[in-house]
Amino acid sequence: MRIGVLAIQGDFAEHIAMLERLGAETTEVRLPRHLDGLDGLIIPGGESTTIGKLAVDFGLLDPLREFGKTHAIWGTCAGAIFLSKDARRSQPLIGIMDITVERNAFGRQVDSFEADLEIAALNPATQPSAPYHAIFIRAPIIESVFGAASVLSTLPDGRIVAAQQGKLLATSFHPELTQDTRFHQYFLSLAR
Amino acid sequence: MEQQTGTFAVKKGLAQMLKGGVIMDVVTPEHAKIAEDAGACAVMALERVPADIRAQGGVARMSDPDLILKIMDAVSIPVMAKCRIGHFVEAQILEAIGVDYIDESEVLTPADEEHHINKHLFKVPFVCGCRNLGEALRRIGEGAAMIRTKGEAGTGDVVEAVRHARAVLGEIRRLTTMAEEELMHYAKEIGAPYELVKETKELGRLPVVNFAAGGVATPADAAMMMQLGMDGVFVGSGIFKSGDPAKRAAAIVKAVTHYNEPAILAEVSKNLGEPMVGRNVSTMPEIEKIAGRGW
C-alpha cells in the first residue's frame, strides 16, 4: 500500500515516519502528479493558510477534490481545516467533508494541551478500551458535523475533536506526535 | 485525566507544525498581513528589523507590547516576539500578553553575559540561536523547544547561515558514528549535556526543530538552507528591506516548499525587484558581528 503525505508545509515527516513504522510505502506530495498511484493521503498539521495558498498556486485543489471522491484522506489539525466545507473565514479549502471547523478554538499556544480521549473506533470490541492520549496544538474544534459525516470522538465537555465521513477522517489533534500507532492503523484500514 | 498545558510535547509540537515553512520579521500589522497572505507559517513581531538595529545602534530591547498585540490581532498565524538574552522579565511580559513563541535573541542587546533564561519555567515555548551543536544542546538543556542557526542577522549575506548550519549538521553526522564510550568526552568537549548528546546520536538529528536564520535574502538562499537539511527558514530584513516585499515573500515561501525543484526555483526567482542592500560579512569588523552573543 502506498500512502501520500501532503508535503507543502507542516509536520509531514512525522506522519511519514509513523506510516513507515507500520510498513506502508510513502510519497511526499507537493504537485498534482505526485498523487498518481496512491491508495490514500494524509494532510498533516501545519498552517492551514500556508497550505491552502500553495495548494492553489500549484493547482492542487481540484486534483485533491477528485482524489477524495474515491480514496481515503485524513487531515490532522490544519489538514482537518483544509478538508472542511466551512472554516468560518475566507481561505482556500478542499471542502469535501461535511464539517464546520473553528480555527485556534482553544486560544493561543499557551493554551495548547494534552488530554486522554475515548475513541471507540480504535478499540477492538474484544478488548477493554484504552484511552487515546492526544496532543492539541493551537487546535481547531469541529463545531458541527452534518450530512454524511459523523462524530468519532469528543472532549469530556462534548466538543467534537474527530469525525469521519466514509473514507475521510478529520482530527483536531496530532497522532503523528505520539508513539501510539492506532490512529494510523485505523486510517490504513480505510485506505485498503 | 485533566488537560495539561505547557508540556514540552506541546512546546516542541508547535515548532513541528512550522516545519517546511518561512517565519518572517514584521514591524507593523500591515507587514504581518502581507506576510500571512504570502504564505508565512508565522511572523516575528518587532519594532526594528535587524538591518535597522545595525544601522541605528544603541541598546536593542523587547518591542512595545502594544505593537506586538496589534500584530497578534492582525493575523491568524502564530506570532513570535524577541526578548534579550537572559532577560527573564521581558520573557514574562511576552508570556503574559500571549505570544506563541519567544525568541531569546542575540539580535537584541544581551541582558546577561553568562546566563540564558531558564526556559523550563515558562508555558510559552522558546526558540534560541546557535552556531554549533554544543550551543544548540546547551539551549535545549535550558528548555528551548526550537533552535535556529544564527547566521549573521541584518546582513543579507547567507555565508554565516551556511557556516552555522554546516557546523551543526556536520557535528551530528560525526556524532552518529561515535562509539558509546566516546560520548562523555565529546559532551565535555562541546560543553553539552551528556543525555542530550546521547539522544541526538540516537535520533540522528537535534531533538527539536532546527530552522536556518541570519542572512537569507533570496528564494535560492532559502532553498539552499533546506537542501542542506534545515527544517525551515527565518527571513528577517530580507523581505521588508527589499523592493517588492509581497512578491519576494511569496517567492521565498514557494522556494522552501519546492526546494528540490530547480525549475520551480527558477520560475519564482524571476522579476523580484531589488533585493535588500547587503553587508558583506567577510569585510565586517568583528565588533559589529552579533552571532558571538550567546554563551
Side-chain angles (χ1 to χ4, degrees), chain B residues 102-116:
Chain B
I102 295 176
D103 183 1
E104 185 183 17
S105 177
E106 71 283 358
V107 169
L108 305 184
T109 310
D112 189 323
E113 294 195 330
E114 277 180 68
H115 309 101
H116 283 250

PDB file of all heavy atoms in Angstrom, chain B residues 102-116:
ATOM      1  N   ILE B 102       8.685  32.676  22.053  1.00  0.00           N
ATOM      2  CA  ILE B 102       9.635  33.731  22.397  1.00  0.00           C
ATOM      3  C   ILE B 102      10.987  33.376  21.794  1.00  0.00           C
ATOM      4  O   ILE B 102      11.455  32.248  21.941  1.00  0.00           O
ATOM      5  CB  ILE B 102       9.776  33.891  23.926  1.00  0.00           C
ATOM      6  CG1 ILE B 102       8.446  34.363  24.537  1.00  0.00           C
ATOM      7  CG2 ILE B 102      10.903  34.879  24.262  1.00  0.00           C
ATOM      8  CD1 ILE B 102       8.469  34.454  26.058  1.00  0.00           C
ATOM      9  N   ASP B 103      11.586  34.345  21.105  1.00  0.00           N
ATOM     10  CA  ASP B 103      12.938  34.188  20.580  1.00  0.00           C
ATOM     11  C   ASP B 103      13.891  34.899  21.547  1.00  0.00           C
ATOM     12  O   ASP B 103      13.861  36.128  21.650  1.00  0.00           O
ATOM     13  CB  ASP B 103      13.012  34.812  19.180  1.00  0.00           C
ATOM     14  CG  ASP B 103      14.378  34.622  18.520  1.00  0.00           C
ATOM     15  OD1 ASP B 103      15.263  33.981  19.133  1.00  0.00           O
ATOM     16  OD2 ASP B 103      14.546  35.109  17.385  1.00  0.00           O
ATOM     17  N   GLU B 104      14.672  34.118  22.295  1.00  0.00           N
ATOM     18  CA  GLU B 104      15.696  34.711  23.177  1.00  0.00           C
ATOM     19  C   GLU B 104      16.876  35.006  22.262  1.00  0.00           C
ATOM     20  O   GLU B 104      17.668  34.117  21.954  1.00  0.00           O
ATOM     21  CB  GLU B 104      16.073  33.725  24.294  1.00  0.00           C
ATOM     22  CG  GLU B 104      17.027  34.325  25.305  1.00  0.00           C
ATOM     23  CD  GLU B 104      17.477  33.331  26.384  1.00  0.00           C
ATOM     24  OE1 GLU B 104      17.324  32.099  26.185  1.00  0.00           O
ATOM     25  OE2 GLU B 104      17.994  33.779  27.414  1.00  0.00           O
ATOM     26  N   SER B 105      16.969  36.272  21.832  1.00  0.00           N
ATOM     27  CA  SER B 105      17.715  36.546  20.598  1.00  0.00           C
ATOM     28  C   SER B 105      18.951  37.417  20.771  1.00  0.00           C
ATOM     29  O   SER B 105      18.905  38.471  21.416  1.00  0.00           O
ATOM     30  CB  SER B 105      16.779  37.226  19.594  1.00  0.00           C
ATOM     31  OG  SER B 105      17.494  37.565  18.429  1.00  0.00           O
ATOM     32  N   GLU B 106      20.025  36.979  20.124  1.00  0.00           N
ATOM     33  CA  GLU B 106      21.269  37.741  20.075  1.00  0.00           C
ATOM     34  C   GLU B 106      21.144  39.013  19.244  1.00  0.00           C
ATOM     35  O   GLU B 106      22.022  39.877  19.301  1.00  0.00           O
ATOM     36  CB  GLU B 106      22.391  36.848  19.514  1.00  0.00           C
ATOM     37  CG  GLU B 106      22.310  36.498  18.016  1.00  0.00           C
ATOM     38  CD  GLU B 106      21.281  35.412  17.685  1.00  0.00           C
ATOM     39  OE1 GLU B 106      20.633  34.892  18.616  1.00  0.00           O
ATOM     40  OE2 GLU B 106      21.119  35.108  16.478  1.00  0.00           O
ATOM     41  N   VAL B 107      20.045  39.133  18.483  1.00  0.00           N
ATOM     42  CA  VAL B 107      19.840  40.354  17.687  1.00  0.00           C
ATOM     43  C   VAL B 107      19.596  41.548  18.615  1.00  0.00           C
ATOM     44  O   VAL B 107      19.951  42.678  18.302  1.00  0.00           O
ATOM     45  CB  VAL B 107      18.656  40.146  16.712  1.00  0.00           C
ATOM     46  CG1 VAL B 107      18.233  41.455  16.076  1.00  0.00           C
ATOM     47  CG2 VAL B 107      19.052  39.133  15.633  1.00  0.00           C
ATOM     48  N   LEU B 108      18.988  41.288  19.784  1.00  0.00           N
ATOM     49  CA  LEU B 108      18.831  42.344  20.786  1.00  0.00           C
ATOM     50  C   LEU B 108      20.105  42.392  21.644  1.00  0.00           C
ATOM     51  O   LEU B 108      20.900  41.458  21.660  1.00  0.00           O
ATOM     52  CB  LEU B 108      17.602  42.064  21.655  1.00  0.00           C
ATOM     53  CG  LEU B 108      16.275  41.872  20.904  1.00  0.00           C
ATOM     54  CD1 LEU B 108      15.129  41.712  21.900  1.00  0.00           C
ATOM     55  CD2 LEU B 108      15.994  43.036  19.965  1.00  0.00           C
ATOM     56  N   THR B 109      20.271  43.472  22.387  1.00  0.00           N
ATOM     57  CA  THR B 109      21.458  43.622  23.232  1.00  0.00           C
ATOM     58  C   THR B 109      21.336  42.697  24.445  1.00  0.00           C
ATOM     59  O   THR B 109      20.342  42.764  25.167  1.00  0.00           O
ATOM     60  CB  THR B 109      21.554  45.081  23.720  1.00  0.00           C
ATOM     61  OG1 THR B 109      21.423  45.944  22.592  1.00  0.00           O
ATOM     62  CG2 THR B 109      22.889  45.333  24.401  1.00  0.00           C
ATOM     63  N   PRO B 110      22.327  41.822  24.679  1.00  0.00           N
ATOM     64  CA  PRO B 110      22.183  40.868  25.796  1.00  0.00           C
ATOM     65  C   PRO B 110      22.014  41.573  27.143  1.00  0.00           C
ATOM     66  O   PRO B 110      22.629  42.610  27.398  1.00  0.00           O
ATOM     67  CB  PRO B 110      23.503  40.085  25.756  1.00  0.00           C
ATOM     68  CG  PRO B 110      23.989  40.222  24.360  1.00  0.00           C
ATOM     69  CD  PRO B 110      23.553  41.584  23.906  1.00  0.00           C
ATOM     70  N   ALA B 111      21.179  40.953  28.011  1.00  0.00           N
ATOM     71  CA  ALA B 111      20.967  41.495  29.352  1.00  0.00           C
ATOM     72  C   ALA B 111      21.818  40.750  30.378  1.00  0.00           C
ATOM     73  O   ALA B 111      21.932  41.176  31.520  1.00  0.00           O
ATOM     74  CB  ALA B 111      19.489  41.379  29.728  1.00  0.00           C
ATOM     75  N   ASP B 112      22.388  39.612  29.985  1.00  0.00           N
ATOM     76  CA  ASP B 112      23.191  38.808  30.905  1.00  0.00           C
ATOM     77  C   ASP B 112      24.293  38.168  30.072  1.00  0.00           C
ATOM     78  O   ASP B 112      23.994  37.532  29.049  1.00  0.00           O
ATOM     79  CB  ASP B 112      22.299  37.744  31.569  1.00  0.00           C
ATOM     80  CG  ASP B 112      23.001  36.996  32.708  1.00  0.00           C
ATOM     81  OD1 ASP B 112      24.222  36.732  32.599  1.00  0.00           O
ATOM     82  OD2 ASP B 112      22.315  36.668  33.699  1.00  0.00           O
ATOM     83  N   GLU B 113      25.542  38.353  30.480  1.00  0.00           N
ATOM     84  CA  GLU B 113      26.642  37.842  29.659  1.00  0.00           C
ATOM     85  C   GLU B 113      27.142  36.487  30.106  1.00  0.00           C
ATOM     86  O   GLU B 113      28.174  36.013  29.636  1.00  0.00           O
ATOM     87  CB  GLU B 113      27.770  38.879  29.592  1.00  0.00           C
ATOM     88  CG  GLU B 113      27.305  40.126  28.841  1.00  0.00           C
ATOM     89  CD  GLU B 113      28.429  41.034  28.411  1.00  0.00           C
ATOM     90  OE1 GLU B 113      29.455  41.074  29.102  1.00  0.00           O
ATOM     91  OE2 GLU B 113      28.271  41.702  27.369  1.00  0.00           O
ATOM     92  N   GLU B 114      26.410  35.829  31.018  1.00  0.00           N
ATOM     93  CA  GLU B 114      26.765  34.464  31.397  1.00  0.00           C
ATOM     94  C   GLU B 114      25.607  33.498  31.281  1.00  0.00           C
ATOM     95  O   GLU B 114      25.789  32.336  30.936  1.00  0.00           O
ATOM     96  CB  GLU B 114      27.273  34.435  32.850  1.00  0.00           C
ATOM     97  CG  GLU B 114      28.722  34.792  33.012  1.00  0.00           C
ATOM     98  CD  GLU B 114      29.113  34.723  34.474  1.00  0.00           C
ATOM     99  OE1 GLU B 114      29.141  33.613  35.027  1.00  0.00           O
ATOM    100  OE2 GLU B 114      29.359  35.799  35.055  1.00  0.00           O
ATOM    101  N   HIS B 115      24.399  33.981  31.628  1.00  0.00           N
ATOM    102  CA  HIS B 115      23.270  33.062  31.765  1.00  0.00           C
ATOM    103  C   HIS B 115      22.166  33.362  30.768  1.00  0.00           C
ATOM    104  O   HIS B 115      21.799  34.522  30.563  1.00  0.00           O
ATOM    105  CB  HIS B 115      22.681  33.166  33.176  1.00  0.00           C
ATOM    106  CG  HIS B 115      23.725  33.048  34.242  1.00  0.00           C
ATOM    107  ND1 HIS B 115      24.230  34.141  34.899  1.00  0.00           N
ATOM    108  CD2 HIS B 115      24.375  31.969  34.726  1.00  0.00           C
ATOM    109  CE1 HIS B 115      25.150  33.747  35.759  1.00  0.00           C
ATOM    110  NE2 HIS B 115      25.277  32.427  35.672  1.00  0.00           N
ATOM    111  N   HIS B 116      21.654  32.290  30.202  1.00  0.00           N
ATOM    112  CA  HIS B 116      20.430  32.420  29.420  1.00  0.00           C
ATOM    113  C   HIS B 116      19.240  32.207  30.363  1.00  0.00           C
ATOM    114  O   HIS B 116      19.406  31.838  31.530  1.00  0.00           O
ATOM    115  CB  HIS B 116      20.421  31.389  28.292  1.00  0.00           C
ATOM    116  CG  HIS B 116      21.310  31.771  27.146  1.00  0.00           C
ATOM    117  ND1 HIS B 116      20.822  32.145  25.918  1.00  0.00           N
ATOM    118  CD2 HIS B 116      22.648  31.856  27.049  1.00  0.00           C
ATOM    119  CE1 HIS B 116      21.821  32.439  25.116  1.00  0.00           C
ATOM    120  NE2 HIS B 116      22.958  32.269  25.771  1.00  0.00           N
TER     121      HIS B 116
END
